[in-house]
Amino acid sequence: MSYLTYALQLTLRNRRRTLTYLFGLVLAVGLFSGILFFVDASANKMTQTAIAPVVVDMQVRSTLAHPDMVPVRTSLEGEAFVTHVEPVVIADFTSLSVPISNQATTAGKLFVLQPSYYDSFGALKLLSGDVTSPGVLISQAAANDLGLLVGDSIAINFDQLATPYISKITGIIDPTGASFLFIATDPAHEGEYTPIPYDVFVSPTLWESDLAVPLTNPPVPTDPNAKPIVAQKPLYELHVGTDHSLLPSDPTKAGIFVDTLRRSMEKQFPGEIKIVNNLADSLKQVQKDVLWAKLLFLFLGMPGVALAAYLSKYATDLLTGPQRQEIGLLRARGATPRQIIRAMGIASFVIALVGTVLGLIVGLGTTTLLFGTSAIAPAALGLYSRSILYAFVAGLLLTGAATFLPIRATLRQEITHERRQAEHETKSPFWARTYLDVVTLVIAGVIFWTTRTGGGFKPAGAEGASLSLGFFVFLGPFFLWVGLALLLNRLLAGSVSHGAGVIQKILRRVFGDLGYMAGRSITRRAQKIASAVIIVSLALSFGISLSIFIHTYQIQKAVDARYGLGSDIKLTVASGLHQQTTDFAKDINRIPGVAAVSPVESLQAYVGSIQQTVFGINPQSYTLAAGPADSSFANGNAAQAMLDLANVPNGVLVSQQLADAYSIGVGDPVIIRLPHTTNTGGLTVETRLQAVGIINSFPSAGSDTFLVMNLPLMQSVTRNDKISYFLIRTSDAPHDVAVRLQDTLGTQVPMKTKDIDTAILALGNSMTSLNLQGLGSIEQGYSVIIISLGLAIFLLSMIYERAKEFGAMRAVGGSITQIGRILWSESLTVGMLSLLIGSFIGLILGGVFVSLLKVLYTIPPAGMSIPWGALFALMLLVLLGMALATSFANRRLARMEIAQVLREL
Amino acid sequence: MTNIILETKNLTKSYPLNGVEVQALRGVNLGIESGEFVAIVGPSGCGKSTLLSIMGGLMFPTSGQIFLEGEDLNAHKEREKAQLRRDHIGYVFQSFNLLADLTAAENVEFPMVLANMPESERRSWVQELLKRVGLSDKADHLPDELSGGQKQRVAIARALANRPDIILADEPTGNLDSATAAEIIDLLIGLNRKDSVTLVMVTHSPDDAASAHRSIHLRDGQIEN
């Protein structure tokens, strides 16, 4: 018989052992691979979400005055990754006007685009007309403000032309989706988004025939005293679209992939072009976020994996007796240790292979649950190749450690020892003898201390460094979790013996005299009971801490979204002609569902020589509409801070950063220079304010440098009563109220509303958009399985180990029901102790998770939020799992062949 | 007038072993009278222990009947059969089969708890039984702290716990040295003679069998005439 045949027979013959171990292995690999796949799928989703809004992936800009962009375009079109390249020319005009009227706009931009551009990128929305007819297309703002329609004529005024260029309007364009066209290129404001409402779009034919030469090469005035005409220097660009499906799913790799093209082009045309890589820019934030996500998922998920691995080991340890007998028998029959190791090695490998493959299927199944079947479509499977490899290796290593190494250890013992039935264990377990509980708690303490002295939990810039720091930090709660569980179980093992009377009394009350007898047996097997309590309480505490963290995270997600927005709705009225004053708040207040409104004016003022953002608010209405968080203020009291500001007309709240930078304390004077609207030369008015408080954060200002002052004073100094935006608290669903506002006021005044419901959904590439709820559900499901399985293995191994005792109990007249009560007594004892210990550790660990990961939130949570409903459901599931495990063990007991069991030596 | 406590009629038992049907018992008929001490003897594999297990309701026969005080044992459901075992039969095993985590006194008390005997009655009866088997001073010892002979005494005391009609002993001296084995046999003889306990004992030992009122010889699953 070959080793393989024997190994297969060995595996199949010991079905109970094989299946028990396989179940643990499948669980461990399933959870591990599930987390890795979850990270992969999340990274992919975050990458896709980040790049989805990018319309023009790259803007290749010429640095020359009269460039030839054809070679550049040809080179770009030769790249497999590039799908389309569109030439663009951008020029300036001084105003637009109606030929027979005095009505005119301010300066704007003229874009030269091929008709195909509109289809290639789709960012410029054609509202009316068409893009191919001869003539010009104008922006909606220009059409609205000048009252023009398709077919009307428009005059475009250029400094270089003596008379306006008049053309027929062939279309109206909504350019709001093409923000990339309005990114400043001048060195002072490079990269800043500066929307220009008045735009004209012309074809290259019109540009070449009518405008290119006069604008770029204007005639020299014949009158030598006349002011010279300065030629325009249009911006020549190529807008590039790429095939996003070719991008790697990992945003870091995707960023590198995209940037390779930029570097290659800039190298090919040195000094001629400059590339704005919109695609790479969009990936920058998500690269950091994915790093965080990886860290977070490992942080939250690894204890579950460790637990499942421990469960496998626990199952194997409990079933070592038959294996020892088997080895003893083989040795007695003359098999050499090498032959036994080879056969057992092959058997272990077969089990590892089957278990790992099944575990991977389970992992993919859980990923499908969260991301849908598309996540495991053949095309998407490449995403998981590395994770599959990791999970596969982990499965093999785990099996090696759990099954193969103990066999080697066994072979060192005497045959006579092996043939014996497992003796009643009297020695303390390894962890207790080595004080592993104390050691792990000390390690946890050292990690927390190092983290705290190192400035808290935060990742560094470089990926490698971040990950190593992340693993290091995540080990802190892990060791705390293990250490606490072991320590409590050490105390438990002692207290079970000493508290025998209490346990016996409780069990007598529940199960009668038989419970009392079971209680006596339990208290004499404290060590075995404690080992079961360890695994169940670890699993339970894992589930509880995860629930607490995820619940707190979800709550803070909403708080963060509210903070970003300022209130339930942020209403911004279009600037220019339609900008509103504080009186507009009255109109808003009349809309059903509006509970409070507060106007906010935001402008730039000089503090010293540096420009800072200054917000003007009405403290009373702001308190009602925005409901600022206490944690936003240094004094920890939002209401008091608002009152202090309201009580001092020239009071100002200074941001913490600014206060630190300028050493400003409460009561100190703060001198700022506010812009004066009547001054067109950029002159400012010096204003003496008094610091009344320190503010940590303000909606939309983050934690940067800023000031918050009273709106009436700001308006009187600047002589400007216009408002930047209104914050609205609603009594109905925010999104519904926002729609109502648009439907009523929006028809009269161009406005933009952003509600909190939409804001949460829009946080596409942010950490707050992570599907932690999904991960949490999976891990909680696993923890319930681990708890049930742990109890089932404990009870079944108890039946197996004590089969003769249970056989004797039945022989002396114990019915299945009566012996079932003994099982229930043990199960209930393990379950209840685990519930107590698990809940205690879970609460502590949940607090640690929330406190360590405070850095994830813009507004740090004051403490942990406890999801009572979810915890109650988890407890119920644990009790249900316990009941199922006990019923299963009871069934095994009922099927026992008493006579056969009692005859075995 | 004879008083048959336990009777078997045409008992057969067969089971598969490596694909072959093995006949362990082939039509065994016997009757055990009250107060009798019967030894079942025979070579290894002749079906002695199988017969004892079937007589005690621990194993189903393939065919035939067992009557305990006139009641067909296998006509009862498992729960009722457990009750019959508890109230009418006491078991003594070769390997003692004591509950490892209970003391000697608790092991003896266990069947009484199953029978819902009041606690005060249990306590005094446990003391009495331990005294009878000579282990009053070992009441609080765990099985691991007792010698083989002491363990078997505890097992005998446990078998007597619910005042059974019959005690079935499966090679009770099989794991003991000869001196201790003799003590255990003396104890069983004493119980039979002084307390009129009915005993059926499976044994290999001719000496032990000689202590019985009669011996039943089993060979190839049949009683030898």
Side-chain angles (χ1 to χ4, degrees):
Chain A
M1 188 188 290
S2 73
Y3 285 113
L4 181 63
T5 318
Y6 179 75
L8 287 175
Q9 279 185 1
L10 192 69
T11 311
L12 294 172
R13 198 164 56 239
N14 299 309
R15 254 176 288 174
R16 180 169 45 189
R17 196 172 69 210
T18 305
L19 284 176
T20 310
Y21 178 72
L22 261 184
F23 209 99
L25 179 65
V26 169
L27 208 63
V29 175
L31 184 55
F32 184 53
S33 61
I35 291 172
L36 292 180
F37 296 158
F38 191 88
V39 171
D40 291 336
S42 293
N44 184 42
K45 197 178 171 195
M46 287 164 86
T47 304
Q48 296 305 324
T49 313
I51 61 175
V54 181
V55 181
V56 170
D57 296 333
M58 286 184 201
Q59 287 169 262
V60 182
R61 193 168 288 159
S62 168
T63 52
L64 307 175
H66 301 285
D68 177 10
M69 296 296 272
V70 176
V72 183
R73 185 178 175 178
T74 310
S75 178
L76 278 168
E77 284 172 341
E79 295 285 340
F81 173 52
V82 173
T83 52
H84 39 274
V85 183
E86 293 282 352
V88 177
V89 182
I90 306 168
D92 297 315
F93 57 79
T94 49
S95 68
L96 297 175
S97 58
V98 183
I100 50 163
S101 148
N102 291 330
Q103 203 178 347
T105 67
T106 52
K109 293 273 182 197
L110 179 137
F111 298 95
V112 183
L113 308 172
Q114 296 193 106
S116 59
Y117 187 96
Y118 302 92
D119 286 336
S120 294
F121 297 109
L124 295 169
K125 201 168 147 193
L126 182 68
L127 299 174
S128 57
D130 70 274
V131 296
T132 50
S133 300
V136 302
L137 297 101
I138 62 167
S139 64
Q140 190 182 13
N144 284 348
D145 289 354
L146 296 174
L148 295 170
L149 297 169
V150 173
D152 292 342
S153 291
I154 188 166
I156 310 169
N157 304 294
F158 296 96
D159 281 340
Q160 293 78 13
L161 302 184
T163 56
Y165 176 77
I166 296 173
S167 179
K168 195 176 141 192
I169 299 169
T170 57
I172 310 289
I173 294 281
D174 173 10
T176 46
S179 55
F180 53 89
L181 290 175
F182 305 105
I183 304 296
T185 52
D186 60 296
H189 303 94
E190 191 169 6
E192 285 178 20
Y193 169 58
T194 319
I196 294 161
Y198 306 119
D199 311 302
V200 174
F201 307 87
V202 302
S203 67
T205 320
L206 187 146
W207 167 256
E208 290 297 336
S209 63
D210 300 349
L211 296 170
V213 175
L215 295 185
T216 57
N217 194 12
V220 179
T222 47
D223 179 3
N225 298 322
K227 193 179 167 188
I229 301 168
V230 180
Q232 275 228 19
K233 287 181 183 164
L235 205 59
Y236 295 88
E237 289 189 352
L238 291 172
H239 287 191
V240 182
T242 60
D243 185 354
H244 289 184
S245 68
L246 294 178
L247 281 179
S249 60
D250 183 279
T252 308
K253 287 182 192 156
I256 294 167
F257 181 83
V258 170
D259 219 39
T260 306
L261 177 61
R262 179 190 63 81
R263 282 201 305 272
S264 151
M265 292 303 295
E266 287 183 344
K267 203 172 170 185
Q268 208 175 329
F269 301 96
E272 292 178 39
I273 55 167
K274 186 176 176 186
I275 298 179
V276 178
N277 197 340
N278 296 326
L279 203 54
D281 290 347
S282 75
L283 289 166
K284 274 181 190 156
Q285 177 60 39
V286 84
Q287 282 165 6
K288 205 170 121 192
D289 287 348
V290 164
L291 194 65
W292 268 106
K294 281 181 184 171
L295 210 63
L296 192 64
F297 291 153
L298 288 171
F299 189 90
L300 296 175
M302 279 308 153
V305 178
L307 205 52
Y310 177 68
L311 186 68
S312 303
K313 180 85 178 72
Y314 176 70
T316 334
D317 287 352
L318 289 173
L319 298 168
T320 45
Q323 191 169 48
R324 284 183 180 177
Q325 285 181 45
E326 177 119 30
I327 292 172
L329 203 62
L330 287 171
R331 292 279 300 272
R333 285 177 183 169
T336 64
R338 177 176 287 206
Q339 287 170 322
I340 294 172
I341 283 180
R342 198 171 289 176
M344 296 283 183
I346 294 172
S348 295
F349 183 73
V350 169
I351 294 173
L353 205 63
V354 174
T356 307
V357 169
L358 290 176
L360 285 169
I361 293 170
V362 170
L364 284 172
T366 48
T367 312
T368 317
L369 274 179
L370 282 177
F371 293 94
T373 46
S374 60
I376 56 159
L381 283 178
L383 267 181
Y384 311 120
S385 53
R386 195 185 286 190
S387 299
I388 287 173
L389 183 72
Y390 288 157
F392 198 79
V393 172
L396 293 182
L397 289 176
L398 179 62
T399 310
T403 65
F404 188 62
L405 293 182
I407 292 167
R408 285 192 59 178
T410 303
L411 279 167
R412 294 199 183 117
Q413 296 174 4
E414 287 293 320
I415 299 174
T416 47
H417 279 209
E418 289 148 12
R419 293 203 65 180
R420 256 182 228 160
Q421 186 77 13
E423 292 276 323
H424 192 67
E425 190 73 48
T426 49
K427 206 164 65 169
S428 299
F430 172 78
W431 66 264
R433 294 198 308 273
T434 53
Y435 287 91
L436 200 64
D437 45 351
V438 180
V439 172
T440 47
L441 283 175
V442 169
I443 294 173
V446 170
I447 291 173
F448 286 135
W449 180 78
T450 316
T451 310
R452 188 170 283 273
T453 51
F457 179 56
K458 58 186 177 194
E463 182 170 14
S466 301
L467 277 176
S468 61
L469 173 66
F471 274 112
F472 172 68
V473 173
F474 115 83
L475 287 174
F478 181 79
F479 280 122
L480 178 72
W481 175 63
V482 174
L484 269 177
L486 293 180
L487 178 69
L488 285 169
N489 280 286
R490 180 191 289 278
L491 299 174
L492 172 78
S495 57
V496 162
S497 310
H498 291 102
V502 180
I503 292 174
Q504 286 160 17
K505 268 184 197 166
I506 293 171
L507 291 175
R508 169 176 267 172
R509 188 156 289 182
V510 180
F511 296 108
D513 284 346
L514 209 53
Y516 183 69
M517 291 296 275
R520 289 190 209 172
S521 166
I522 287 168
T523 50
R524 290 183 190 123
R525 294 188 307 113
Q527 208 62 260
K528 292 248 174 194
I529 296 287
S531 73
V533 171
I534 287 176
I535 193 154
V536 178
S537 57
L538 277 173
L540 190 64
S541 59
F542 167 62
I544 290 174
S545 60
L546 205 63
S547 280
I548 291 173
F549 174 73
I550 288 171
H551 185 63
T552 310
Y553 185 90
Q554 295 297 106
I555 288 176
Q556 287 309 120
K557 187 171 154 177
V559 170
D560 274 9
R562 174 182 294 278
Y563 168 76
L565 206 60
S567 187
D568 293 331
I569 298 174
K570 181 179 181 182
L571 186 150
T572 313
V573 181
S575 59
L577 300 172
H578 302 292
Q579 196 164 7
Q580 298 293 312
T581 65
T582 44
D583 287 345
F584 191 57
K586 289 175 193 160
D587 296 333
I588 296 171
N589 242 330
R590 286 192 204 103
I591 306 300
V594 171
V597 185
S598 184
V600 178
E601 171 65 348
S602 157
L603 46 79
Q604 296 293 309
Y606 281 96
V607 179
S609 58
I610 301 168
Q611 270 201 330
Q612 306 289 356
T613 306
V614 183
F615 296 98
I617 62 167
N618 281 324
Q620 291 90 345
S621 68
Y622 183 80
T623 305
L624 292 173
D630 286 337
S631 59
S632 293
F633 299 90
N635 68 356
N637 188 337
Q640 186 59 50
M642 288 292 119
L643 200 63
D644 292 344
L645 182 64
N647 288 340
V648 183
N650 70 334
V652 66
L653 295 167
V654 183
S655 77
Q656 186 73 58
Q657 274 195 31
L658 202 62
D660 292 343
Y662 290 89
S663 301
I664 302 170
V666 175
D668 288 350
V670 179
I671 297 164
I672 65 171
R673 294 204 307 282
L674 285 165
H676 199 295
T677 42
T678 55
N679 263 323
T680 51
L683 293 177
T684 54
V685 182
E686 188 173 290
T687 313
R688 192 180 175 85
L689 303 172
Q690 184 196 335
V692 292
I694 306 297
I695 184 166
N696 299 324
S697 54
F698 190 83
S700 79
S703 305
D704 295 340
T705 52
F706 62 90
L707 298 158
V708 181
M709 65 183 290
N710 285 301
L711 182 62
L713 178 67
M714 179 187 266
Q715 288 180 326
S716 73
V717 173
T718 59
R719 306 260 177 101
N720 177 10
D721 60 356
K722 305 289 186 196
I723 294 302
S724 300
Y725 56 89
F726 294 87
L727 296 178
I728 302 163
R729 181 176 284 271
T730 63
S731 52
D732 286 355
H735 183 69
D736 295 347
V737 179
V739 171
R740 259 175 246 158
L741 283 163
Q742 284 287 4
D743 290 348
T744 48
L745 300 176
T747 54
Q748 304 148 33
V749 180
M751 64 166 70
K752 203 165 102 182
T753 54
K754 201 169 176 186
D755 61 82
I756 191 159
D757 300 336
T758 320
I760 291 174
L761 293 174
L763 293 170
N765 63 347
S766 157
M767 276 301 288
T768 48
S769 71
L770 285 179
N771 186 2
L772 275 188
Q773 193 71 52
L775 179 78
S777 308
I778 285 180
E779 291 189 350
Q780 274 167 358
Y782 272 99
S783 59
V784 170
I785 295 172
I786 290 170
I787 290 166
S788 311
L789 198 66
L791 269 171
I793 290 173
F794 166 71
L795 292 170
L796 287 175
S797 70
M798 183 179 83
I799 290 174
Y800 184 79
E801 265 182 23
R802 298 166 67 199
K804 292 189 92 174
E805 288 192 20
F806 283 113
M809 284 181 200
R810 288 189 61 189
V812 299
S815 66
I816 299 292
T817 316
Q818 285 176 316
I819 300 171
R821 276 189 221 159
I822 293 171
L823 279 185
W824 276 105
S825 300
E826 302 233 349
S827 168
L828 204 68
T829 306
V830 171
M832 289 303 136
L833 288 171
S834 304
L835 276 178
L836 277 175
I837 294 175
S839 305
F840 176 70
I841 299 174
L843 284 172
I844 291 181
L845 212 67
V848 169
F849 274 169
V850 170
S851 125
L852 271 181
L853 295 170
K854 266 184 179 174
V855 69
L856 286 178
Y857 318 106
T858 313
I859 307 277
M864 54 184 176
S865 306
I866 297 175
W868 293 111
L871 290 190
F872 185 67
L874 182 66
M875 300 285 179
L876 273 183
L877 283 172
V878 168
L879 292 175
L880 189 69
M882 198 171 87
L884 281 172
T886 315
S887 304
F888 182 63
N890 222 2
R891 272 189 61 187
R892 296 284 310 170
L893 199 64
R895 286 181 184 172
M896 183 186 276
E897 295 277 352
I898 313 171
Q900 196 182 336
V901 165
L902 290 173
R903 255 193 238 170
E904 283 172 2
L905 287 175
Chain B
M1 189 181 127
T2 56
N3 184 8
I4 303 281
I5 284 184
L6 200 144
E7 190 178 9
T8 69
K9 286 187 177 171
N10 291 321
L11 277 187
T12 67
K13 178 72 183 176
S14 58
Y15 51 84
L17 185 70
N18 295 330
V20 179
E21 199 72 4
V22 175
Q23 285 284 329
L25 295 177
R26 303 161 188 258
V28 175
N29 291 294
L30 63 82
I32 309 292
E33 289 183 23
S34 175
E36 210 179 0
F37 180 2
V38 177
I40 300 176
V41 290
S44 285
C46 70
K48 302 185 298 288
S49 292
T50 303
L51 176 61
L52 200 75
S53 295
I54 292 174
M55 285 165 71
L58 299 178
M59 189 187 272
F60 279 99
T62 306
S63 66
Q65 291 170 299
I66 313 116
F67 293 96
L68 182 65
E69 298 208 318
E71 282 193 68
D72 186 349
L73 201 58
N74 286 318
H76 291 278
K77 288 179 181 170
E78 182 51 44
R79 176 192 282 253
E80 292 160 344
K81 219 154 75 171
Q83 204 171 323
L84 282 173
R85 280 199 300 267
R86 188 188 72 199
D87 297 339
H88 298 283
I89 303 171
Y91 277 99
V92 178
F93 304 100
Q94 182 182 350
S95 51
F96 327 124
N97 289 329
L98 297 177
L99 307 182
D101 302 309
L102 297 183
T103 62
E106 287 163 352
N107 264 287
V108 177
E109 190 185 359
F110 188 76
M112 302 176 202
V113 173
L114 293 174
N116 292 320
M117 193 186 284
E119 192 174 358
S120 55
E121 195 184 328
R122 278 194 331 243
R123 291 283 153 87
S124 57
W125 184 223
V126 167
Q127 292 309 316
E128 169 60 30
L129 287 174
L130 286 175
K131 191 177 164 192
R132 212 182 279 187
V133 298
L135 286 177
S136 294
D137 57 333
K138 303 285 181 187
D140 293 330
H141 286 237
L142 289 168
D144 278 354
E145 297 160 355
L146 300 173
S147 69
Q150 288 168 332
K151 282 179 190 169
Q152 199 58 294
R153 282 166 188 270
V154 175
I156 291 169
R158 180 178 67 179
L160 292 167
N162 288 330
R163 299 180 177 91
D165 300 318
I166 187 167
I167 286 181
L168 305 176
D170 189 358
E171 302 203 35
T173 57
N175 276 5
L176 304 173
D177 61 71
S178 55
T180 314
E183 282 175 28
I184 293 298
I185 290 296
D186 286 347
L187 179 63
L188 291 173
I189 292 170
L191 287 171
N192 175 253
R193 291 189 184 157
K194 287 180 197 162
D195 301 322
S196 302
V197 173
T198 309
L199 268 172
V200 177
M201 179 176 72
V202 164
T203 183
H204 272 110
S205 160
D207 290 347
D208 291 354
S211 313
H213 294 140
R214 66 182 167 115
S215 293
I216 296 171
H217 291 265
L218 219 57
R219 183 180 290 274
D220 296 332
Q222 286 179 310
I223 295 176
E224 280 186 326
N225 292 318

